[in-house]
Amino acid sequence: MKQKNILLTIGEEDSPVIKIWDLDKQDKSKGTPTCQRTIKVNHGGKPHPVSTLAVLENLGQIAVGLANGVVVLIKGDLYRDRYTKQKVIHESLGFREYNKNVMLFIVTTSKILTTVTMTKSPVVSCDLGCAVMSDTTHEMVVAKDEAIYFYGPEGRGPCFAYDGAKSSVTWFKSNLIIVSPPVSQPTRLTTASRSGNSSQPSVPYEFTKVTIFDTANKFIAYMGTFSHGVRTITCEWGGIYILGMDGKLYRLEEKDTPTKLEILFKKNLYSLAINLAHSQKYDDASIAEIFKKYGDHLYSKTDYDGAMAQYIRTIGQLEPSYIIRKFLDAQRIHNLVNYLQELHSKSLANADHTTLLLNCYTKLKDVARLDQFIKTDNELRFDLETAIKVCRQAGYYEHAVYLAKKFQEYDLYLKIQIEDVKEYENALEYIRKLGSHEANSNLQKYGKILLNHLPQPTTQLLIDLCTGDLSSTGQRARSPEVKVKVNDTVAAATPTSTSPEPQASTSRPPKERIGVAYRPPPVRTFMSLFVDQPNYLIQFLEQVSQKRWGGFGSVRKPSQAEIIKNDANISDESDDLNVEESSVDDYDPETEEKKAVWNTLLELYLSEAYLPVVLSGKDSKGRKYGAPGTFSVSTETDRVKEKLLRKEKALQLLKDNEVAYDTNQALVLCYLAQFDEGIVYLYEKMKMYEEILRFYMAKDNTEKVIQALKRYGAQDQALYPLTLTYFSSSPKTLASSTHELLEILNYIDSHNLLPPLQVVQALSRNSVATLGMVKGYMGKRIESERKESQVDHKLIQSYREETEKRKKEIVNKCTGCRGSLDLPAVHFLCKHSFHQRCLPESDRECPQCAIQNRMIFEIRKSQEINADKHELFFEQLKDADDGFSVVADYFSKNTMAFAKLID
């Protein structure tokens, strides 16, 4: 037995007897194993020799087959029980367990039976010794002349065609050992006859052929002949032992698997080698190597289809470049396509493989397979950017658009629509649906092209983006029909000429940031896009400034930001009364943004180069048209109106105190555009009144010069000499403005703005003005000067008299020595004077008043001390009958003043 060290023997006495020997227990008296049990087989008739025996490994059942076809079944615990049950069933047998049911196979020369519950199922017959049980498949193997059959509980299973007579079969591992009947040979050469000596007689002999059939891999593993026949075959200790009729024992050893494989390789039996490797549990790399050899063999035989079938099975183990190099020839491109497709289906392709496969499709012009590869791959087993790039290069824009749309490659989709297929409207609509953040980046990239072809819609989109309107209108609901890997749900999309709606990307996060407040992008970012569309730039800047900052001039409205700010100021006004204004950083991005917008608008308003063009031609219906994408008007009159309107807007912009433009830049722009109103306003704003006069003087506009002088002269007196110089600059100017000159002189005289000398100097610079022109002015000024001189003389006389009077009042005697006072002398505020020699060196107060001053000082000091004695004050106030008198006394001594000062 295999599981226990027990030996079962069967012999014949009066009837067959079975003995069970325990080889682990020795009979000390006999020195032999102990016979544990003896069972006599009762078959109820004439005894017949035993032909076969089958035993369960647990010794629960024994089946004994007799030569007359009788089968006796013995049940019970044969190792321990004293009594057993015996029952006659049928003939030649074998035990197997199926699903814990004991199945007994009975094979006779006429039939095969299987039984579980004594039910007999005749199947087929076989010769004696030609049936055996399979240890691997648990099936009965029956060898017939025409084939080898396998039987299970349900009946006959698979069979192997192997023609020829069989005398016996034996099972070893997964191999079936087949012994053929001996074949008689007429003669047998002796050793002498082989050496050339034919005098020795020949001896007849028989050949017995032994074949080992590998049932797992379905090939003949061994075939040999044995002279004189085979007595028996035993499989034990990992080998096959063959006992010949001549008394010799042969041992067959199974070759190791690598040796087997080498033999099969030499015979080009690669299919068998592959099956053998699988049965021996070879790893994938080793099996792939066999497929590679098989493919190389077929490739050398020019069987490219068969070779590719083998190479495909090496994917994942063999470097793809090895196979690709073999099939780069144009005649083998179909095989290469199959390999590359399989490589992509297993997600093992790189960008180069994708490029090569798509190039093969385009070279073969196989649109059907290209569609299948691109439109049925929901798992993205290829490099997306490479696929789109190859499709674009080959002109398959529809496929490129399909891929970009399906897998949410926004940039590539727009690149194809704009640069390749020129579908500007689709691209513009697609950008609008992307949302603000994606629209921002894509408009910076493609905005100029779109403005050249679709100026009005593109301008409106930019306005919506920069005013915050696109943050809500551009957001689209995520489509449930889009492929989302994480949910393992996919839906095929079809290419369309219309713009697809942006969908959830499988490889990037959503572009709109949840929870982050939207801030419009800087307007300056997009100004350069309008380099060829200045009139649309005006429209863009006007609407953005209107929505974000309330516009300018007479059309100004409070912006949303200002409304919120004002509301906040009103609500917080009471809280901010005692709070100091915090300092802010000088640099404000919003202020710089506004300044850039206003400066640009001002330049556009003032430049005639940016005015609309007049329609130049007519279409087939007689309608006028201009250049594509230009901002145009119908007539020259409309153009002039537009020019005046823009100048008016420019002046409104300049006069709006809320508009933070660059004054110096605005002044340069006004000069370049010869915009007089703007120049004068800016000079006035900067208080450059002299420049206003010079501006009018340069234009020789005397009337404006006089108006400006009257308006700004009071603020800047330097304007008068400048005006006088201007009037006397040339005889022509003087002749045309004599009356105005006299008016200015009268005005200067009446308001006493300039001294006469400065007036004369201003008029005499060009030797144009005559003395007669200023005779009246000079007479008035001289008379006025004379009267002022008389008044001054009277004042001088009164001052002298007052001085003499004061001199008499001055003390001229020393208070100390009573002598005449001479220098050096010291005068005190108390009006005592002393010689310096009459005063002590360290004394800085009047000796005459020192005693009185000390008394006052002591009183004052006492008052200061009492000012701190609050308890004394309150006690006196409490004890006094008249508290008011106490308070009055303190006030009289100035004590309260000291107390207040100290507090």
Side-chain angles (χ1 to χ4, degrees):
M1 308 305 295
K2 295 180 179 179
Q3 297 179 359
K4 297 180 181 180
N5 198 15
I6 292 176
L7 174 68
L8 268 75
T9 60
I10 188 167
E12 296 178 356
E13 296 178 355
D14 294 337
S15 60
V17 176
I18 299 174
K19 292 186 178 182
I20 301 175
W21 307 84
D22 190 341
L23 301 182
D24 292 333
K25 296 180 180 181
Q26 296 288 325
D27 189 342
K28 296 181 179 180
S29 60
K30 299 180 180 179
T32 59
T34 301
C35 181
Q36 193 71 22
R37 180 77 182 276
T38 300
I39 301 174
K40 185 176 182 182
V41 180
N42 300 318
H43 54 84
K46 184 177 179 181
H48 290 276
V50 176
S51 60
T52 185
L53 178 69
V55 185
L56 280 179
E57 285 294 326
N58 61 3
L59 294 179
Q61 297 183 36
I62 298 177
V64 181
L66 304 180
N68 61 349
V70 174
V71 177
V72 179
L73 181 62
I74 306 172
K75 292 184 177 181
D77 190 347
L78 306 180
Y79 187 78
R80 297 181 178 85
D81 293 349
R82 180 176 298 181
Y83 302 101
T84 59
K85 296 180 181 180
Q86 298 188 17
K87 191 172 185 178
V88 177
I89 301 177
H90 203 69
E91 316 168 62
S92 187
L93 64 166
F95 278 115
R96 277 295 177 269
E97 291 188 18
Y98 289 92
N99 298 327
K100 301 193 178 180
N101 292 323
V102 178
M103 179 69 64
L104 179 64
F105 290 88
I106 304 172
V107 182
T108 70
T109 56
S110 60
K111 65 187 69 174
I112 293 178
L113 303 174
T114 61
T115 179
V116 178
T117 59
M118 308 307 298
T119 301
K120 303 175 183 178
S121 303
V123 183
V124 70
S125 62
C126 71
D127 294 334
L128 292 174
C130 291
V132 70
M133 294 302 299
S134 167
D135 292 335
T136 56
T137 61
H138 305 296
E139 294 176 307
M140 174 67 75
V141 183
V142 177
K144 301 283 287 182
D145 290 346
E146 69 278 6
I148 298 171
Y149 300 93
F150 288 78
Y151 291 88
E154 293 80 14
R156 197 176 83 175
C159 67
F160 299 114
Y162 184 68
D163 195 15
K166 289 88 174 173
S167 60
S168 66
V169 292
T170 306
W171 190 265
F172 176 67
K173 296 181 181 179
S174 62
N175 301 292
L176 182 64
I177 306 171
I178 305 172
V179 179
S180 302
V183 178
S184 300
Q185 299 294 332
T187 59
R188 177 185 178 190
L189 296 177
T190 61
T191 303
S193 63
R194 291 177 182 173
S195 62
N197 186 359
S198 59
S199 60
Q200 297 292 334
S202 60
V203 179
Y205 69 99
E206 294 179 343
F207 274 117
T208 298
K209 184 171 68 173
V210 176
T211 304
I212 300 178
F213 183 72
D214 189 336
T215 59
N217 301 304
K218 302 179 182 60
F219 68 91
I220 296 175
Y222 171 80
M223 182 181 291
T225 58
F226 294 85
S227 60
H228 302 291
V230 175
R231 181 182 298 274
T232 186
I233 296 178
T234 301
C235 300
E236 197 59 69
W237 305 298
I240 301 173
Y241 295 87
I242 301 175
L243 181 61
M245 290 294 188
D246 56 357
K248 293 181 179 180
L249 181 63
Y250 301 91
R251 184 175 186 270
L252 300 181
E253 292 184 356
E254 184 178 8
K255 295 182 181 295
D256 57 17
T257 303
T259 305
K260 292 180 183 179
L261 292 175
E262 287 298 326
I263 295 172
L264 294 174
F265 293 156
K266 290 179 181 179
K267 297 181 178 182
N268 296 324
L269 300 175
Y270 293 98
S271 297
L272 296 178
I274 292 169
N275 294 336
L276 177 61
H278 278 298
S279 66
Q280 297 300 317
K281 308 299 181 184
Y282 267 41
D283 58 16
D284 293 340
S286 301
I287 296 175
E289 183 64 24
I290 301 175
F291 280 118
K292 172 183 171 294
K293 291 182 178 181
Y294 193 11
D296 292 343
H297 169 70
L298 295 176
Y299 186 88
S300 64
K301 299 293 184 181
T302 67
D303 182 4
Y304 301 121
D305 294 341
M308 181 52 71
Q310 306 307 318
Y311 287 139
I312 286 176
R313 302 184 72 174
T314 66
I315 292 177
Q317 302 296 332
L318 184 62
E319 178 62 35
S321 59
Y322 176 82
I323 295 99
I324 292 174
R325 282 195 297 267
K326 288 178 174 287
F327 290 88
L328 286 176
D329 189 89
Q331 297 177 352
R332 305 167 199 159
I333 194 170
H334 292 281
N335 301 115
L336 181 58
V337 167
N338 294 335
Y339 179 79
L340 292 173
Q341 284 186 160
E342 193 67 24
L343 201 63
H344 282 81
S345 68
K346 296 183 178 180
S347 302
L348 296 174
N350 57 29
D352 294 333
H353 299 147
T354 302
T355 303
L356 182 58
L357 177 59
L358 294 176
N359 283 331
C360 291
Y361 286 147
T362 56
K363 189 172 184 179
L364 294 172
K365 300 187 183 301
D366 194 344
V367 180
R369 295 182 76 175
L370 180 61
D371 288 343
Q372 182 182 8
F373 175 75
I374 288 178
K375 298 180 180 180
T376 61
D377 192 343
N378 292 321
E379 297 298 329
L380 193 58
R381 299 186 181 93
F382 53 84
D383 186 80
L384 180 61
E385 293 188 6
T386 301
I388 294 175
K389 178 181 178 182
V390 174
C391 289
R392 289 182 64 196
Q393 292 175 346
Y396 289 87
Y397 300 121
E398 178 186 352
H399 298 80
V401 168
Y402 174 87
L403 288 173
K405 167 192 169 183
K406 181 177 181 180
F407 295 104
Q408 301 307 296
E409 288 293 336
Y410 305 139
D411 295 339
L412 291 175
Y413 177 86
L414 291 172
K415 198 177 187 72
I416 300 167
Q417 291 281 38
I418 294 174
E419 298 180 2
D420 297 332
V421 299
K422 314 298 183 185
E423 291 287 345
Y424 303 112
E425 292 183 2
N426 291 344
L428 195 64
E429 185 64 22
Y430 185 81
I431 292 175
R432 179 175 287 278
K433 295 175 181 179
L434 284 176
S436 57
H437 294 285
E438 281 294 324
N440 182 7
S441 60
N442 284 290
L443 282 174
Q444 291 184 41
K445 187 181 299 183
Y446 303 111
K448 185 176 181 181
I449 299 175
L450 293 173
L451 278 169
N452 290 336
H453 293 86
L454 299 172
Q456 183 59 44
T458 306
T459 302
Q460 187 58 48
L461 178 58
L462 287 167
I463 292 171
D464 293 341
L465 175 65
C466 291
T467 57
D469 293 342
L470 193 64
S471 62
S472 57
T473 61
Q475 276 293 84
R476 308 293 296 185
R478 301 299 179 187
S479 172
E481 297 180 357
V482 184
K483 170 185 164 296
V484 182
K485 284 187 176 179
V486 294
N487 295 330
D488 293 334
T489 58
V490 293
T494 56
T496 174
S497 61
T498 61
S499 174
E501 291 190 5
Q503 303 162 341
S505 172
T506 61
S507 58
R508 25 174 90 75
K511 301 298 179 183
E512 292 298 332
R513 303 167 198 172
I514 305 300
V516 179
Y518 172 73
R519 295 187 61 184
V523 182
R524 288 176 290 179
T525 306
F526 304 102
M527 287 184 185
S528 60
L529 303 179
F530 292 87
V531 64
D532 299 324
Q533 303 291 340
N535 294 286
Y536 287 100
L537 178 57
I538 293 176
Q539 178 184 345
F540 169 66
L541 295 179
E542 285 181 344
Q543 295 197 31
V544 170
S545 63
Q546 177 66 38
K547 293 184 178 182
R548 288 181 61 173
W549 309 309
F552 61 88
S554 60
V555 296
R556 163 173 285 279
K557 298 179 181 178
S559 65
Q560 189 67 24
E562 290 172 342
I563 293 173
I564 296 173
K565 182 177 180 181
N566 290 336
D567 292 342
N569 290 338
I570 293 172
S571 62
D572 297 340
E573 184 176 357
S574 59
D575 297 334
D576 296 340
L577 290 177
N578 298 320
V579 180
E580 294 185 0
E581 183 178 357
S582 60
S583 62
V584 296
D585 193 352
D586 293 338
Y587 177 78
D588 181 11
E590 188 72 5
T591 302
E592 296 298 322
E593 183 83 355
K594 292 179 183 179
K595 187 179 293 186
V597 171
W598 303 135
N599 291 338
T600 306
L601 264 178
L602 185 62
E603 180 179 358
L604 293 170
Y605 286 152
L606 296 177
S607 176
E608 293 190 10
Y610 300 144
L611 285 172
V613 298
V614 180
L615 296 176
S616 57
K618 294 183 178 181
D619 59 14
S620 59
K621 296 184 179 180
R623 295 175 299 189
K624 290 185 176 182
Y625 64 87
T630 58
F631 194 90
S632 56
V633 293
S634 299
T635 64
E636 186 64 32
T637 303
D638 295 335
R639 190 170 188 268
V640 174
K641 290 181 180 179
E642 180 67 22
K643 178 180 178 181
L644 295 176
L645 178 61
R646 293 189 180 182
K647 290 290 181 70
E648 182 180 351
K649 288 182 178 180
L651 190 58
Q652 289 179 357
L653 190 152
L654 292 174
K655 291 183 177 181
D656 194 333
N657 294 327
E658 299 296 329
V659 174
Y661 55 83
D662 189 318
T663 307
N664 293 326
Q665 183 178 349
L667 185 60
V668 172
L669 293 174
C670 290
Y671 259 108
L672 293 176
Q674 299 180 0
F675 184 35
D676 296 352
E677 294 88 343
I679 294 172
V680 172
Y681 172 77
L682 291 172
Y683 278 146
E684 182 179 1
K685 182 178 180 180
M686 294 186 289
K687 298 182 179 181
M688 300 173 66
Y689 307 122
E690 184 176 335
E691 297 300 328
I692 297 177
L693 257 67
R694 292 185 186 278
F695 176 75
Y696 287 136
M697 291 173 183
K699 291 183 173 291
D700 204 17
N701 192 335
T702 305
E703 182 180 356
K704 290 290 185 181
V705 171
I706 294 174
Q707 291 178 0
L709 181 63
K710 290 180 178 180
R711 183 173 181 179
Y712 310 119
Q715 303 177 49
D716 187 0
Q717 293 186 4
L719 301 180
Y720 290 96
L722 179 63
T723 306
L724 294 175
T725 303
Y726 163 71
F727 284 147
S728 61
S729 60
S730 65
K732 180 180 178 181
T733 304
L734 183 61
S736 62
S737 57
T738 302
H739 179 70
E740 288 80 3
L741 174 61
L742 295 177
E743 287 184 353
I744 293 175
L745 290 175
N746 290 332
Y747 185 82
I748 293 173
D749 182 36
S750 62
H751 291 80
N752 195 21
L753 298 177
L754 295 175
L757 181 60
Q758 191 173 354
V759 173
V760 172
Q761 289 175 346
L763 291 173
S764 61
R765 288 181 181 176
N766 295 310
S767 301
V768 174
T770 62
L771 184 61
M773 293 181 179
V774 295
K775 180 179 179 181
Y777 167 77
M778 293 301 296
K780 290 180 181 180
R781 293 302 301 173
I782 291 172
E783 180 64 23
S784 176
E785 292 287 343
R786 186 180 63 81
K787 292 180 179 180
E788 291 179 0
S789 177
Q790 291 177 356
V791 172
D792 291 340
H793 280 296
K794 291 180 179 180
L795 289 174
I796 292 171
Q797 184 63 32
S798 65
Y799 292 153
R800 286 176 178 174
E801 293 176 356
E802 183 69 21
T803 302
E804 290 296 330
K805 183 179 179 181
R806 296 297 181 188
K807 285 182 177 179
K808 292 178 180 180
E809 294 178 357
I810 297 175
V811 178
N812 52 9
K813 288 185 179 182
C814 175
T815 304
C817 65
R818 307 307 294 178
S820 297
L821 193 63
D822 56 5
L823 299 177
V826 177
H827 303 277
F828 292 95
L829 291 176
C830 60
K831 296 184 179 180
H832 293 144
S833 300
F834 294 88
H835 292 112
Q836 187 176 11
R837 61 180 177 273
C838 295
L839 290 175
E841 293 183 2
S842 60
D843 198 349
R844 300 183 62 182
E845 62 179 344
C846 176
Q848 192 74 17
C849 303
I851 298 173
Q852 185 178 358
N853 288 340
R854 289 191 183 95
M855 292 176 61
I856 295 172
F857 178 76
E858 291 297 333
I859 294 172
R860 188 178 184 85
K861 186 175 180 181
S862 175
Q863 291 174 346
E864 291 178 1
I865 294 172
N866 290 334
D868 291 334
K869 296 179 180 179
H870 304 295
E871 296 82 1
L872 178 62
F873 168 74
F874 285 112
E875 287 179 2
Q876 293 177 4
L877 188 64
K878 183 177 179 181
D879 297 338
D881 296 332
D882 185 5
F884 183 77
S885 61
V886 176
V887 176
D889 181 58
Y890 266 79
F891 270 108
S892 66
K893 297 177 179 178
N894 208 21
T895 306
M896 289 295 183
F898 285 106
K900 183 177 180 180
L901 179 63
I902 293 171
D903 288 341

